[in-house]
Amino acid sequence: MDLVAYVATAPRRGETVTGRAFRTVPGGKGANQAVAAARSGGSVTMIGAVGDDDFGVRLRASLAGDGVDTGGLRTVEGESGTAHIVVDDDGGNAIVVVPGANGTVDGLADGDERRIAAADALLLQLEIPLGGVLAGARAAHEHGVRVVLTPAPAQPLPPELLAVTDLLVPNEHEAAVLTGKSDPCDAASALLALVPEVVVTLGEKGSLYAVRDAEPVHVPAPRVKAEDTTAAGDTFVGALAVAGGEGRTMPDALAWASAASALSVQRPGASASMPHRTETDAFAATLHGSRTPS
């Protein structure tokens, strides 16, 4: 659950500031990507865990309300995961994640491998233990399912996870943490030694797509006024997975995902800000050279 405080300027260490608004919004990187993919037209199943608290009830209902299959969503004793977010008037954010029930997802449960095997793609993030991420990735790899990994929160990735990852989607900061290279092109090049495809998201500058034995492709983002950038990256990944599953080329898929992300940053909240497919299609159609998925 995202606990979001809106302020003019984020507080520095030891400083107290007065906020102008507070919202409690269903979130979490996995759930955000699930909602983004579902609203983009995908058929989505969520694997994860919530606590047996009130937040857990709300989170499950929120996913189901967006058409996400929650059959793989466990309920465990204790608190659900929370993210404590401060959003400033420039749309920037700072986030503290408390894992809660997410910390119990250290492997696959009964039925999870079947759910993964039935998918076109498995979207993974690092807000659950690496053991759970690796188990899911290995199951997907064994069944020929595309593994898309968002390495956030950023941390060193074990070689055995990278070996079964098809597409890595870090932002600029995460790419720099993983490679020690601040330039996105250099970071993407270094990451291609570890995985076959990389997309580095660049915020308002768009995204950079790199694949082995080809020149990187930069896809610009639409110019919009950002109100809240929370979950912009998750919106992008969810839409990208759907566009890719529909057979679009990567440049086209990236442009469409950028359109979805651009819509999301103009609205407050995480999953609440994510556009539905009709909205993304309409917005993408207004952009120069864009086409909606067939």
Side-chain angles (χ1 to χ4, degrees), residues 168-293:
L168 192 67
V169 191
N171 62 23
E172 289 177 276
H173 167 72
E174 293 149 3
V177 170
L178 292 173
T179 64
K181 300 181 183 297
S182 58
D183 180 84
C185 286
D186 292 341
S189 178
L191 290 170
L192 285 178
L194 307 173
V195 296
E197 291 182 90
V198 176
V199 172
V200 180
T201 58
L202 308 172
E204 63 183 12
K205 294 176 289 185
S207 59
L208 182 72
Y209 172 61
V211 63
R212 291 170 181 168
D213 301 321
E215 288 295 316
V217 176
H218 174 243
V219 178
R223 292 187 177 182
V224 297
K225 171 61 177 174
E227 177 181 348
D228 182 355
T229 59
T230 306
D234 295 329
T235 303
F236 178 90
V237 172
L240 178 64
V242 172
E246 293 174 344
R248 301 195 82 189
T249 65
M250 278 300 288
D252 283 350
L254 290 166
W256 195 70
S258 290
S261 184
L263 287 172
S264 76
V265 302
Q266 298 177 71
R267 308 166 178 172
S271 59
S273 72
M274 295 172 174
H276 291 271
R277 177 166 187 135
T278 53
E279 298 175 285
T280 303
D281 282 348
F283 181 53
T286 69
L287 303 175
H288 178 68
S290 67
R291 294 178 292 140
T292 56

Side-chain angles (χ1 to χ4, degrees), residues 10-286:
R12 297 184 296 270
R13 183 175 182 179
E15 181 183 16
T16 299
V17 300
T18 299
R20 57 178 171 79
F22 174 78
R23 292 186 176 94
T24 304
V25 185
K29 294 196 72 64
N32 288 342
Q33 292 185 8
V35 169
R39 290 189 180 184
S40 294
S43 176
V44 183
T45 296
M46 176 75 182
I47 296 173
V50 294
D52 58 1
D53 54 0
D54 289 342
F55 283 167
V57 174
R58 288 180 58 188
L59 292 167
R60 184 181 293 276
S62 176
L63 285 166
D66 272 303
V68 176
D69 183 342
T70 60
L73 189 63
R74 317 166 199 174
T75 297
V76 299
E77 185 177 354
E79 299 176 345
S80 298
T82 53
H84 304 256
I85 306 172
V86 175
V87 179
D88 63 32
D89 281 353
D90 291 328
N93 62 64
I95 305 174
V96 176
V97 174
V98 182
N102 295 319
T104 68
V105 188
D106 55 3
L108 299 183
D110 289 346
D112 286 349
E113 184 170 350
R114 171 182 52 78
R115 294 181 178 96
I116 292 170
D120 294 315
L122 175 67
L123 305 187
L124 294 166
Q125 318 77 30
L126 302 181
E127 288 185 348
I128 62 172
L130 276 175
V133 176
L134 180 57
R138 282 174 167 164
H141 184 72
E142 289 173 2
H143 291 280
V145 174
R146 183 169 171 82
V147 176
V148 181
L149 173 62
T150 302
Q155 59 183 281
L157 300 177
E160 56 267 34
L161 176 57
L162 292 166
V164 290
T165 297
D166 297 299
L167 173 63
L168 192 67
V169 191
N171 62 23
E172 289 177 276
H173 167 72
E174 293 149 3
V177 170
L178 292 173
T179 64
K181 300 181 183 297
S182 58
D183 180 84
C185 286
D186 292 341
S189 178
L191 290 170
L192 285 178
L194 307 173
V195 296
E197 291 182 90
V198 176
V199 172
V200 180
T201 58
L202 308 172
E204 63 183 12
K205 294 176 289 185
S207 59
L208 182 72
Y209 172 61
V211 63
R212 291 170 181 168
D213 301 321
E215 288 295 316
V217 176
H218 174 243
V219 178
R223 292 187 177 182
V224 297
K225 171 61 177 174
E227 177 181 348
D228 182 355
T229 59
T230 306
D234 295 329
T235 303
F236 178 90
V237 172
L240 178 64
V242 172
E246 293 174 344
R248 301 195 82 189
T249 65
M250 278 300 288
D252 283 350
L254 290 166
W256 195 70
S258 290
S261 184
L263 287 172
S264 76
V265 302
Q266 298 177 71
R267 308 166 178 172
S271 59
S273 72
M274 295 172 174
H276 291 271
R277 177 166 187 135
T278 53
E279 298 175 285
T280 303
D281 282 348
F283 181 53
T286 69

